[in-house]
Amino acid sequence: MVPDVSTGDRTRGLLSYLFGPGRRDEHTDPHIVAAFAMPGITDPGRVPLEEHQDALSELARYLDQPVELRRQRTGKDVPQHVWHCPVRTAPGDRYLTDAEWAEVARRVVHATGIAPHGDDSGCRWIAVRHAEDHIHIMATSVREDGRRPRNKRDGQRAQAECRKIEIELGLRRLKSGDGTAPKTPTGAEVAKAERQGRKTTTRQWLREHAYAAAAAARDEHEYFAVLTALGIKVQKRIGPETGETTGYGLAAPGDTDAKNEPVYYAGSSLAPDLSLNRLRERFTPAPADTTVRARARGTKSDAWRRAESELRSTHAFLLGPKDGQDQEAFDRQVQAQAAAFAELLHNTAATAPKAARAELHAAAAAFDRANRSAIRAEHQSAYALRQAGKELIRAVGGEDGSAVVSLLATAVYVLIALDHWHQQRGHEQQAAAAKQALAHLQNAYQHTARPELARLTDRTPGPDETRRLAAVVQAAVPAHAQRILTDPAGPALATTLAQAESAGTPPRHALTAAAAAAAAAEQRELDSADRPAEVLIWRLRHTTAEQTAARTRAATTRTRHATTTSTPPTTAPPVIQRPTDAVHRRR
């Protein structure tokens, strides 16, 4: 059951909409199901058609009487005096009778402070039903005693009451919010999208592209440049005294109003963390991490491996606060890691192999709801992970399928840990979004892992070598050996162990190190993994690739040093005496 509180200043206008045909003739049998004083109140939905307009005007004047008396007493207009709260059941919920909807309305106006039970001086209100699945509660927010109602946080209070009603009426139980969800599209925005044949509204489209731009950009100037390159119009709000940018609005290409003017949406109206102030917090580097910015543009393979290393560090951090660490400080840092992880997902979706991009885009879009909560993030603590994600966009060179799969495998465990953290903190909507993102991320992993595992399986060593490596597995990880060796990815693991040995790491040592890393703290990857051999494969391949890269860098350094030292020192050229000089000296 979803309530949606808003305010306005046109009583008669809202009544005309509630008792009218609707924007698309969707209203059926509009009528009042409950009111502050049901006996004797005029119901415009139950009068003859020729009396309909007069009935609307009469009802508007009746509801506005306390408002008009206050205006006369104070000599000032009452701002935003129309209180409006549609309440809608979820798809699949059972049919509610008029009597049940009437009780819902009475409980909502009581919970929000509009008309508390037993308070004869409460606000005047009505509840109108013009569809099977929802009602509209409308009130004029001046009490009978001339005071304004105490209805602060009325949206949250309505949500809390609806959670109770869902249980009592046997309806689908929705997730409780914390005030950090993005604004939902209005009915007009949805209707406009349908007329234009689009699946998403302009607000949703802009939100998705704004998140992607923020993930790729290093500062606000680059953020606006990326948006402009996408064809999105940017309207900056300039402070009149300082001349500095204090906010911004975005307009989608071709989205105009009746006057053919662009329709701008403020960044904060797209999502709370897309306001300019919140973006600046994320763009500000941590003083201790400024060296990260000095990295030269590397290859895609290097960027994927660096990002995977940062994700492993993030996963280890998410498993719990260190001894003596303040829980509140830990939560602020986890929230920052969640925001940085969201950016990394967007950049991964933009640079991953094409077969996985659709699922990764879906994972990033779903996790956008899980990347923020009421906990204020300490963004500087996640600067390293954020920069590693941005390097994916700027890296050059060909694809490295193994590095991509390794990153996605680690990202799955990071997402599981973030879901667990949200659940522990009671972040129901964020936990649900994390689970949705996890399903898409696991699909993306499967799309990229299959060809890599097939390639490794095709290169499985001979029978004798495979038996030798199986014995190594039994000796190195006896507790998991049976599950590993019967895993369909077992032959691919044999190839990976042989490659590690060729790179200079004994198989038993490599396995022991990989298993120890996988068995970190509470969330033991080998214990929980359906495919334990795959867990070891990607850890081993990451380690082998890092060792190979380190040797290459060391060899390059030695070569440069040798070249420098073998060059003879520069000396002044010898002075060659001319014959004539010698003759003169002999004289």
Side-chain angles (χ1 to χ4, degrees):
M1 183 169 282
V2 182
D4 185 15
V5 176
S6 61
T7 59
D9 55 13
R10 296 178 61 244
T11 306
R12 180 63 164 77
L14 180 55
L15 286 174
S16 296
Y17 167 74
L18 297 180
F19 288 96
R23 295 186 177 93
R24 290 159 289 168
D25 294 324
E26 72 275 17
H27 294 175
T28 58
D29 187 25
H31 61 282
I32 296 175
V33 296
F36 74 102
M38 277 298 282
I41 196 169
T42 301
D43 185 349
R46 292 291 185 262
V47 300
L49 184 60
E50 63 272 13
E51 299 176 12
H52 181 70
Q53 293 300 323
D54 291 339
L56 287 175
S57 299
E58 179 184 342
L59 180 56
R61 286 192 298 269
Y62 188 42
L63 293 174
D64 275 342
Q65 281 180 359
V67 179
E68 181 62 21
L69 290 173
R70 181 183 174 94
R71 187 190 66 78
Q72 292 175 3
R73 179 170 56 85
T74 62
K76 298 178 180 179
D77 289 335
V78 181
Q80 299 295 300
H81 68 274
V82 179
W83 187 88
H84 180 210
C85 179
V87 182
R88 186 183 301 272
T89 53
D93 276 341
R94 68 175 180 85
Y95 179 88
L96 298 186
T97 65
D98 280 4
E100 288 174 317
W101 275 121
E103 181 60 23
V104 169
R106 284 189 284 269
R107 292 182 60 170
V108 169
V109 295
H110 167 73
T112 55
I114 291 296
H117 295 329
D119 185 354
D120 294 335
S121 297
C123 298
R124 298 186 179 188
W125 63 274
I126 61 172
V128 179
R129 182 179 192 177
H130 55 209
E132 289 190 356
D133 63 347
H134 70 277
I135 60 172
H136 290 259
I137 307 172
M138 172 189 174
T140 48
S141 57
V142 174
R143 292 165 46 88
E144 298 288 354
D145 56 15
R147 295 184 292 116
R148 301 300 296 268
R150 296 181 177 179
N151 63 321
K152 289 184 178 180
R153 298 175 55 252
D154 48 6
Q156 294 180 36
R157 290 153 70 178
Q159 289 280 359
E161 189 64 23
C162 285
R163 300 293 82 77
K164 299 176 185 177
I165 295 172
E166 289 165 354
I167 297 173
E168 296 173 17
L169 296 184
L171 303 176
R172 176 183 168 189
R173 298 178 63 181
L174 302 184
K175 307 298 183 184
S176 298
D178 57 3
T180 62
K183 185 177 180 180
T184 56
T186 65
E189 293 170 1
V190 173
K192 186 176 183 179
E194 291 176 353
R195 288 196 306 270
Q196 296 175 348
R198 292 184 285 108
K199 295 181 179 179
T200 59
T201 64
T202 300
R203 184 187 299 275
Q204 293 168 318
W205 186 88
L206 285 172
R207 180 187 304 136
E208 180 180 342
H209 285 75
Y211 272 127
R218 290 168 291 192
D219 53 47
E220 67 179 271
H221 303 293
E222 197 168 284
Y223 171 66
F224 291 134
V226 172
L227 290 171
T228 302
L230 293 172
I232 297 173
K233 293 182 174 64
V234 178
Q235 185 182 64
K236 297 181 181 180
R237 187 171 65 249
I238 307 299
E241 296 181 359
T242 62
E244 297 179 351
T245 304
T246 59
Y248 71 99
L250 302 179
D255 186 37
T256 57
D257 58 16
K259 298 179 181 179
N260 206 31
E261 296 290 334
V263 179
Y264 286 96
Y265 295 81
S268 58
S269 73
L270 298 177
D273 52 345
L274 287 175
S275 70
L276 188 57
N277 286 338
R278 293 291 180 267
L279 288 173
R280 284 171 173 168
E281 290 177 2
R282 289 154 64 179
F283 290 142
T284 302
D289 289 329
T290 50
T291 54
V292 178
R293 305 177 67 183
R295 284 178 180 162
R297 174 178 289 192
T299 66
K300 285 188 176 180
S301 181
D302 291 338
W304 285 102
R305 283 200 296 271
R306 269 197 295 272
E308 200 272 339
S309 295
E310 291 296 340
L311 279 177
R312 281 194 282 122
S313 300
T314 296
H315 181 252
F317 172 78
L318 293 174
L319 295 177
K322 298 177 181 179
D323 293 338
Q325 184 178 10
D326 177 67
Q327 183 66 49
E328 185 176 340
F330 172 73
D331 286 342
R332 289 197 301 269
Q333 293 178 8
V334 172
Q335 185 58 66
Q337 296 291 337
F341 180 72
E343 293 186 6
L344 184 140
L345 275 181
H346 277 285
N347 292 338
T348 300
T351 55
K354 291 182 179 179
R357 288 184 185 177
E359 289 289 356
L360 286 172
H361 277 300
F367 193 75
D368 283 339
R369 178 63 190 101
N371 75 353
R372 63 184 178 279
S373 69
I375 298 173
R376 191 67 173 268
E378 188 182 311
H379 287 295
Q380 292 186 344
S381 64
Y383 185 72
L385 179 60
R386 178 170 288 107
Q387 291 304 108
K390 294 181 190 300
E391 286 181 18
L392 296 176
I393 293 290
R394 291 164 177 79
V396 295
E399 299 287 352
D400 184 343
S402 178
V404 174
V405 178
S406 182
L407 181 143
L408 295 182
T410 305
V412 166
Y413 286 102
V414 171
L415 191 45
I416 291 172
L418 287 171
D419 175 31
H420 182 65
W421 178 77
H422 279 309
Q423 290 183 54
Q424 287 183 323
R425 301 301 176 274
H427 302 160
E428 295 183 1
Q429 292 185 358
Q430 290 87 340
K435 285 184 173 62
Q436 184 180 358
L438 179 61
H440 290 295
L441 186 59
Q442 288 173 325
N443 288 339
Y445 165 77
Q446 292 297 334
H447 285 316
T448 53
R450 285 195 204 103
E452 289 297 315
L453 291 173
R455 185 176 61 81
L456 290 171
T457 300
D458 290 343
R459 303 181 65 189
T460 303
D464 292 341
E465 182 67 8
T466 300
R467 283 192 290 271
R468 180 181 74 85
L469 293 173
V472 171
V473 171
Q474 291 175 333
V477 282
H480 303 286
Q482 184 62 29
R483 293 176 60 235
I484 293 171
L485 294 175
T486 56
D487 188 326
L493 176 61
T495 304
T496 304
L497 286 171
Q499 291 174 340
E501 187 172 31
S502 298
T505 304
R508 182 164 182 171
H509 175 74
L511 264 179
T512 303
E522 299 171 11
Q523 295 186 358
R524 300 177 181 275
E525 296 177 18
L526 288 179
D527 289 337
S528 60
D530 295 330
R531 308 285 289 272
E534 290 187 27
V535 173
L536 294 175
I537 285 171
W538 308 125
R539 288 201 172 274
L540 285 167
R541 289 186 66 79
H542 177 88
T543 302
T544 302
E546 281 190 331
Q547 291 174 344
T548 302
R551 291 194 186 99
T552 301
R553 288 193 296 270
T556 302
T557 303
R558 285 196 299 270
T559 301
R560 289 174 179 170
H561 180 70
T563 302
T564 303
T565 54
S566 62
T567 302
T570 302
T571 57
V575 177
I576 301 175
Q577 294 181 348
R578 290 177 296 179
T580 52
D581 294 337
V583 172
H584 287 303
R585 280 196 294 273
R586 279 198 298 270
R587 288 179 182 175

